[in-house]
Amino acid sequence: MGKWGDGIGRAIAPITIRFWRSLDNPAWNHAAIAEEALGGALSVMVDPSRIRRKLVAKSVAPIKDRFLVDGLGAMPSELIEDLYTYMDMSDIARYGENLSSTRLYHWLKASWQAGRPVEGRGMIFDSEARIDTYCRTYLDLYRSLERDGYRYHGDDEICLGLAADGEIIHIRRGTHRMAAAKILELPSVSARITHIDRAFARTAVRAGECDIVGALGRAIRSATS
């Protein structure tokens, strides 16, 4: 929370948002405060085909706890189709039960056999059984989405941002789910808007006059529907 602190700052922030009706209010910079003010307006359903790119991890770290971000759309990013996670899910879609043919399986096995087993997700991939189990989690994910559509509920919701021009950008979380949804051409995924370019917010507020919370909510719905 920076200078606002975790106690007094958070307590007075909703009050300042109600009475200091301006995007210059520093409370809008903080994700936790913005989420409290906007509530359900940040929960969206989005066509995954509209989400073309994802911020690189090094870009996300400095803005993780911010809401309004200057130049969000210009931050370093990658096309989702170029991500390793997308390639992994493409292999899952192609090979199905033949998990040993996937790039992910080959990489984990080669690393283990070279004496440098990969560690991740709470385990060390130092046997074919463990590698198979890990790869199978993505096969199960893919088949679940294929069978039931996108029905995720949990604490790891996909986080999205809105650039100045309204472009929807994948910020973090749910990268495998996003990749699978795009491959399967699902009509929508559930997500959370966690970051907004300051220029987008200013345009929304100009259109909505004094009701900042309402204006931002309407602009989010318009950009993601």
Side-chain angles (χ1 to χ4, degrees):
M1 297 289 292
K3 294 181 180 179
W4 282 87
D6 292 326
I8 296 175
R10 183 173 298 212
I12 68 173
I15 298 174
T16 66
I17 284 177
R18 285 198 298 271
F19 291 101
W20 184 0
R21 296 176 180 274
S22 168
L23 289 174
D24 294 327
N25 182 342
W28 284 111
N29 293 331
H30 301 290
I33 296 172
E35 182 165 339
E36 184 174 348
L38 288 163
L42 298 177
S43 295
V44 297
M45 298 294 294
V46 182
D47 181 345
S49 68
R50 296 183 58 196
I51 304 168
R52 298 179 50 256
R53 56 195 180 105
K54 182 178 186 290
L55 291 190
V56 301
K58 288 183 179 179
S59 296
V60 175
I63 65 168
K64 182 179 177 182
D65 297 321
R66 298 186 67 82
F67 180 66
L68 294 184
V69 179
D70 293 311
L72 180 66
M75 290 182 175
S77 64
E78 296 178 89
L79 293 176
I80 290 178
E81 287 80 359
D82 290 342
L83 298 173
Y84 284 127
T85 46
Y86 187 91
M87 299 177 196
D88 291 341
M89 294 310 293
S90 295
D91 275 3
I92 290 293
R94 177 182 179 185
Y95 294 111
E97 287 288 341
N98 188 16
L99 294 171
S100 61
S101 293
T102 64
R103 183 204 65 87
L104 178 60
Y105 192 103
H106 278 290
W107 172 60
L108 293 173
K109 184 176 179 179
S111 298
W112 159 47
Q113 292 183 333
R116 299 185 300 274
V118 176
E119 182 176 357
R121 303 291 176 130
M123 72 170 66
I124 298 175
F125 302 108
D126 55 4
S127 71
E128 291 203 51
R130 288 188 172 188
I131 295 170
D132 186 88
T133 297
Y134 180 64
C135 292
R136 189 165 294 278
T137 62
Y138 295 122
L139 176 60
D140 291 343
L141 168 64
Y142 184 84
R143 285 180 169 171
S144 173
L145 292 174
E146 185 177 37
R147 181 183 64 248
D148 303 322
Y150 197 92
R151 297 183 180 181
Y152 179 79
H153 299 284
D155 297 329
D156 196 34
E157 189 70 272
I158 292 171
C159 298
L160 302 177
L162 293 173
D165 60 359
E167 178 192 2
I168 307 169
I169 301 172
H170 192 171
I171 303 294
R172 63 191 184 108
R173 296 180 175 172
T175 310
H176 287 91
R177 278 177 272 138
M178 176 65 74
K182 290 175 76 69
I183 293 166
L184 288 165
E185 298 183 347
L186 297 184
S188 63
V189 298
S190 62
R192 193 85 176 152
I193 300 297
T194 57
H195 298 78
I196 289 180
D197 191 289
R198 191 178 298 275
F200 177 92
R202 292 200 183 285
T203 299
V205 170
R206 281 198 296 271
E209 299 177 352
C210 294
D211 180 13
I212 291 180
V213 172
L216 286 175
R218 288 189 292 274
I220 290 168
R221 287 194 297 275
S222 177
T224 57
S225 61

mmCIF file of all heavy atoms in Angstrom, residues 40-66:
data_model
loop_
_atom_site.group_PDB
_atom_site.id
_atom_site.type_symbol
_atom_site.label_atom_id
_atom_site.label_comp_id
_atom_site.label_asym_id
_atom_site.label_seq_id
_atom_site.Cartn_x
_atom_site.Cartn_y
_atom_site.Cartn_z
ATOM 1 N N GLY A 40 -18.093 -5.808 -8.103
ATOM 2 C CA GLY A 40 -18.455 -6.740 -9.158
ATOM 3 C C GLY A 40 -18.207 -6.231 -10.562
ATOM 4 O O GLY A 40 -18.178 -7.034 -11.506
ATOM 5 N N ALA A 41 -18.029 -4.923 -10.716
ATOM 6 C CA ALA A 41 -17.777 -4.378 -12.057
ATOM 7 C C ALA A 41 -16.473 -4.893 -12.643
ATOM 8 O O ALA A 41 -16.272 -4.854 -13.856
ATOM 9 C CB ALA A 41 -17.745 -2.849 -12.010
ATOM 10 N N LEU A 42 -15.579 -5.397 -11.781
ATOM 11 C CA LEU A 42 -14.288 -5.892 -12.255
ATOM 12 C C LEU A 42 -14.348 -7.347 -12.706
ATOM 13 O O LEU A 42 -13.400 -7.835 -13.328
ATOM 14 C CB LEU A 42 -13.230 -5.745 -11.156
ATOM 15 C CG LEU A 42 -12.945 -4.316 -10.701
ATOM 16 C CD1 LEU A 42 -11.940 -4.317 -9.554
ATOM 17 C CD2 LEU A 42 -12.429 -3.464 -11.852
ATOM 18 N N SER A 43 -15.429 -8.044 -12.413
ATOM 19 C CA SER A 43 -15.602 -9.435 -12.855
ATOM 20 C C SER A 43 -16.247 -9.433 -14.230
ATOM 21 O O SER A 43 -17.336 -8.872 -14.403
ATOM 22 C CB SER A 43 -16.470 -10.219 -11.861
ATOM 23 O OG SER A 43 -15.836 -10.325 -10.616
ATOM 24 N N VAL A 44 -15.592 -10.049 -15.201
ATOM 25 C CA VAL A 44 -16.056 -9.972 -16.581
ATOM 26 C C VAL A 44 -16.033 -11.348 -17.246
ATOM 27 O O VAL A 44 -15.365 -12.268 -16.786
ATOM 28 C CB VAL A 44 -15.180 -8.995 -17.403
ATOM 29 C CG1 VAL A 44 -15.295 -7.585 -16.843
ATOM 30 C CG2 VAL A 44 -13.717 -9.446 -17.416
ATOM 31 N N MET A 45 -16.773 -11.456 -18.333
ATOM 32 C CA MET A 45 -16.721 -12.596 -19.236
ATOM 33 C C MET A 45 -16.230 -12.063 -20.570
ATOM 34 O O MET A 45 -16.817 -11.124 -21.113
ATOM 35 C CB MET A 45 -18.093 -13.246 -19.393
ATOM 36 C CG MET A 45 -18.673 -13.824 -18.110
ATOM 37 S SD MET A 45 -17.738 -15.233 -17.456
ATOM 38 C CE MET A 45 -18.005 -16.460 -18.752
ATOM 39 N N VAL A 46 -15.166 -12.657 -21.088
ATOM 40 C CA VAL A 46 -14.513 -12.125 -22.287
ATOM 41 C C VAL A 46 -14.297 -13.233 -23.306
ATOM 42 O O VAL A 46 -13.932 -14.358 -22.954
ATOM 43 C CB VAL A 46 -13.146 -11.496 -21.923
ATOM 44 C CG1 VAL A 46 -12.488 -10.900 -23.156
ATOM 45 C CG2 VAL A 46 -13.308 -10.447 -20.840
ATOM 46 N N ASP A 47 -14.499 -12.914 -24.566
ATOM 47 C CA ASP A 47 -14.175 -13.821 -25.663
ATOM 48 C C ASP A 47 -12.652 -13.955 -25.733
ATOM 49 O O ASP A 47 -11.957 -12.957 -25.970
ATOM 50 C CB ASP A 47 -14.722 -13.246 -26.970
ATOM 51 C CG ASP A 47 -14.460 -14.140 -28.176
ATOM 52 O OD1 ASP A 47 -13.618 -15.060 -28.078
ATOM 53 O OD2 ASP A 47 -15.083 -13.906 -29.231
ATOM 54 N N PRO A 48 -12.096 -15.156 -25.513
ATOM 55 C CA PRO A 48 -10.638 -15.294 -25.499
ATOM 56 C C PRO A 48 -9.968 -14.930 -26.815
ATOM 57 O O PRO A 48 -8.780 -14.586 -26.833
ATOM 58 C CB PRO A 48 -10.419 -16.769 -25.147
ATOM 59 C CG PRO A 48 -11.700 -17.454 -25.500
ATOM 60 C CD PRO A 48 -12.768 -16.434 -25.252
ATOM 61 N N SER A 49 -10.699 -14.976 -27.921
ATOM 62 C CA SER A 49 -10.099 -14.621 -29.206
ATOM 63 C C SER A 49 -9.720 -13.139 -29.259
ATOM 64 O O SER A 49 -8.910 -12.725 -30.098
ATOM 65 C CB SER A 49 -11.049 -14.954 -30.359
ATOM 66 O OG SER A 49 -12.185 -14.107 -30.346
ATOM 67 N N ARG A 50 -10.289 -12.332 -28.359
ATOM 68 C CA ARG A 50 -9.986 -10.904 -28.331
ATOM 69 C C ARG A 50 -8.704 -10.597 -27.563
ATOM 70 O O ARG A 50 -8.216 -9.469 -27.600
ATOM 71 C CB ARG A 50 -11.150 -10.134 -27.687
ATOM 72 C CG ARG A 50 -12.464 -10.209 -28.457
ATOM 73 C CD ARG A 50 -13.507 -9.353 -27.782
ATOM 74 N NE ARG A 50 -13.062 -7.968 -27.674
ATOM 75 C CZ ARG A 50 -13.624 -7.080 -26.862
ATOM 76 N NH1 ARG A 50 -14.618 -7.441 -26.070
ATOM 77 N NH2 ARG A 50 -13.170 -5.842 -26.819
ATOM 78 N N ILE A 51 -8.186 -11.583 -26.854
ATOM 79 C CA ILE A 51 -7.006 -11.359 -26.023
ATOM 80 C C ILE A 51 -5.795 -11.880 -26.784
ATOM 81 O O ILE A 51 -5.586 -13.086 -26.899
ATOM 82 C CB ILE A 51 -7.164 -12.054 -24.666
ATOM 83 C CG1 ILE A 51 -8.452 -11.557 -23.991
ATOM 84 C CG2 ILE A 51 -5.954 -11.792 -23.781
ATOM 85 C CD1 ILE A 51 -8.860 -12.361 -22.796
ATOM 86 N N ARG A 52 -4.988 -10.989 -27.315
ATOM 87 C CA ARG A 52 -3.903 -11.353 -28.220
ATOM 88 C C ARG A 52 -2.555 -11.516 -27.527
ATOM 89 O O ARG A 52 -1.708 -12.269 -27.992
ATOM 90 C CB ARG A 52 -3.773 -10.307 -29.326
ATOM 91 C CG ARG A 52 -4.992 -10.174 -30.224
ATOM 92 C CD ARG A 52 -4.785 -9.096 -31.274
ATOM 93 N NE ARG A 52 -3.520 -9.232 -31.983
ATOM 94 C CZ ARG A 52 -2.448 -8.457 -31.755
ATOM 95 N NH1 ARG A 52 -2.483 -7.495 -30.843
ATOM 96 N NH2 ARG A 52 -1.337 -8.641 -32.447
ATOM 97 N N ARG A 53 -2.338 -10.798 -26.435
ATOM 98 C CA ARG A 53 -1.008 -10.818 -25.851
ATOM 99 C C ARG A 53 -1.040 -10.786 -24.324
ATOM 100 O O ARG A 53 -2.061 -10.449 -23.723
ATOM 101 C CB ARG A 53 -0.153 -9.673 -26.389
ATOM 102 C CG ARG A 53 -0.751 -8.295 -26.211
ATOM 103 C CD ARG A 53 -0.043 -7.261 -27.089
ATOM 104 N NE ARG A 53 -0.596 -5.932 -26.925
ATOM 105 C CZ ARG A 53 0.008 -4.951 -26.247
ATOM 106 N NH1 ARG A 53 1.182 -5.169 -25.673
ATOM 107 N NH2 ARG A 53 -0.547 -3.759 -26.148
ATOM 108 N N LYS A 54 0.109 -11.124 -23.759
ATOM 109 C CA LYS A 54 0.259 -11.213 -22.307
ATOM 110 C C LYS A 54 1.523 -10.466 -21.902
ATOM 111 O O LYS A 54 2.561 -10.574 -22.564
ATOM 112 C CB LYS A 54 0.366 -12.680 -21.880
ATOM 113 C CG LYS A 54 0.478 -12.921 -20.378
ATOM 114 C CD LYS A 54 0.520 -14.431 -20.101
ATOM 115 C CE LYS A 54 0.472 -14.725 -18.605
ATOM 116 N NZ LYS A 54 1.728 -14.332 -17.915
ATOM 117 N N LEU A 55 1.440 -9.701 -20.821
ATOM 118 C CA LEU A 55 2.626 -9.005 -20.334
ATOM 119 C C LEU A 55 3.689 -10.005 -19.899
ATOM 120 O O LEU A 55 3.370 -11.049 -19.339
ATOM 121 C CB LEU A 55 2.284 -8.106 -19.144
ATOM 122 C CG LEU A 55 1.428 -6.856 -19.380
ATOM 123 C CD1 LEU A 55 1.440 -5.996 -18.122
ATOM 124 C CD2 LEU A 55 1.899 -6.055 -20.578
ATOM 125 N N VAL A 56 4.942 -9.675 -20.145
ATOM 126 C CA VAL A 56 6.027 -10.524 -19.655
ATOM 127 C C VAL A 56 6.104 -10.369 -18.139
ATOM 128 O O VAL A 56 5.737 -9.335 -17.576
ATOM 129 C CB VAL A 56 7.376 -10.173 -20.316
ATOM 130 C CG1 VAL A 56 7.281 -10.336 -21.833
ATOM 131 C CG2 VAL A 56 7.805 -8.756 -19.955
ATOM 132 N N ALA A 57 6.605 -11.399 -17.479
ATOM 133 C CA ALA A 57 6.597 -11.434 -16.011
ATOM 134 C C ALA A 57 7.327 -10.240 -15.402
ATOM 135 O O ALA A 57 6.891 -9.684 -14.382
ATOM 136 C CB ALA A 57 7.209 -12.740 -15.524
ATOM 137 N N LYS A 58 8.441 -9.833 -16.007
ATOM 138 C CA LYS A 58 9.204 -8.718 -15.449
ATOM 139 C C LYS A 58 8.422 -7.410 -15.500
ATOM 140 O O LYS A 58 8.685 -6.490 -14.718
ATOM 141 C CB LYS A 58 10.534 -8.568 -16.194
ATOM 142 C CG LYS A 58 11.531 -9.672 -15.887
ATOM 143 C CD LYS A 58 12.850 -9.426 -16.598
ATOM 144 C CE LYS A 58 13.864 -10.520 -16.260
ATOM 145 N NZ LYS A 58 15.164 -10.313 -16.959
ATOM 146 N N SER A 59 7.466 -7.316 -16.410
ATOM 147 C CA SER A 59 6.642 -6.113 -16.487
ATOM 148 C C SER A 59 5.558 -6.112 -15.412
ATOM 149 O O SER A 59 5.135 -5.045 -14.948
ATOM 150 C CB SER A 59 5.978 -6.009 -17.864
ATOM 151 O OG SER A 59 6.931 -5.858 -18.884
ATOM 152 N N VAL A 60 5.112 -7.299 -15.037
ATOM 153 C CA VAL A 60 4.008 -7.412 -14.092
ATOM 154 C C VAL A 60 4.448 -7.088 -12.669
ATOM 155 O O VAL A 60 3.719 -6.423 -11.913
ATOM 156 C CB VAL A 60 3.390 -8.819 -14.140
ATOM 157 C CG1 VAL A 60 2.314 -8.980 -13.067
ATOM 158 C CG2 VAL A 60 2.800 -9.091 -15.518
ATOM 159 N N ALA A 61 5.641 -7.533 -12.285
ATOM 160 C CA ALA A 61 6.089 -7.388 -10.900
ATOM 161 C C ALA A 61 5.979 -5.959 -10.361
ATOM 162 O O ALA A 61 5.437 -5.751 -9.268
ATOM 163 C CB ALA A 61 7.514 -7.921 -10.754
ATOM 164 N N PRO A 62 6.431 -4.933 -11.088
ATOM 165 C CA PRO A 62 6.376 -3.574 -10.531
ATOM 166 C C PRO A 62 4.954 -3.014 -10.410
ATOM 167 O O PRO A 62 4.740 -2.043 -9.670
ATOM 168 C CB PRO A 62 7.193 -2.745 -11.533
ATOM 169 C CG PRO A 62 8.006 -3.736 -12.292
ATOM 170 C CD PRO A 62 7.163 -4.960 -12.357
ATOM 171 N N ILE A 63 3.995 -3.565 -11.141
ATOM 172 C CA ILE A 63 2.635 -3.016 -11.120
ATOM 173 C C ILE A 63 1.645 -3.956 -10.446
ATOM 174 O O ILE A 63 0.440 -3.714 -10.490
ATOM 175 C CB ILE A 63 2.142 -2.707 -12.549
ATOM 176 C CG1 ILE A 63 2.002 -3.997 -13.370
ATOM 177 C CG2 ILE A 63 3.064 -1.725 -13.247
ATOM 178 C CD1 ILE A 63 1.248 -3.828 -14.678
ATOM 179 N N LYS A 64 2.148 -5.003 -9.823
ATOM 180 C CA LYS A 64 1.270 -6.042 -9.284
ATOM 181 C C LYS A 64 0.176 -5.477 -8.385
ATOM 182 O O LYS A 64 -0.975 -5.914 -8.435
ATOM 183 C CB LYS A 64 2.103 -7.075 -8.530
ATOM 184 C CG LYS A 64 1.290 -8.230 -7.975
ATOM 185 C CD LYS A 64 2.181 -9.237 -7.269
ATOM 186 C CE LYS A 64 1.357 -10.361 -6.657
ATOM 187 N NZ LYS A 64 2.212 -11.321 -5.920
ATOM 188 N N ASP A 65 0.515 -4.521 -7.533
ATOM 189 C CA ASP A 65 -0.441 -3.990 -6.563
ATOM 190 C C ASP A 65 -1.033 -2.649 -6.971
ATOM 191 O O ASP A 65 -1.650 -1.965 -6.164
ATOM 192 C CB ASP A 65 0.230 -3.865 -5.189
ATOM 193 C CG ASP A 65 0.662 -5.204 -4.635
ATOM 194 O OD1 ASP A 65 -0.087 -6.182 -4.808
ATOM 195 O OD2 ASP A 65 1.758 -5.278 -4.052
ATOM 196 N N ARG A 66 -0.873 -2.284 -8.235
ATOM 197 C CA ARG A 66 -1.429 -1.024 -8.721
ATOM 198 C C ARG A 66 -2.706 -1.281 -9.519
ATOM 199 O O ARG A 66 -2.933 -2.383 -10.009
ATOM 200 C CB ARG A 66 -0.407 -0.291 -9.590
ATOM 201 C CG ARG A 66 0.863 0.085 -8.833
ATOM 202 C CD ARG A 66 1.780 0.926 -9.687
ATOM 203 N NE ARG A 66 1.212 2.233 -9.982
ATOM 204 C CZ ARG A 66 1.269 3.267 -9.145
ATOM 205 N NH1 ARG A 66 1.833 3.123 -7.973
ATOM 206 N NH2 ARG A 66 0.752 4.429 -9.477
#
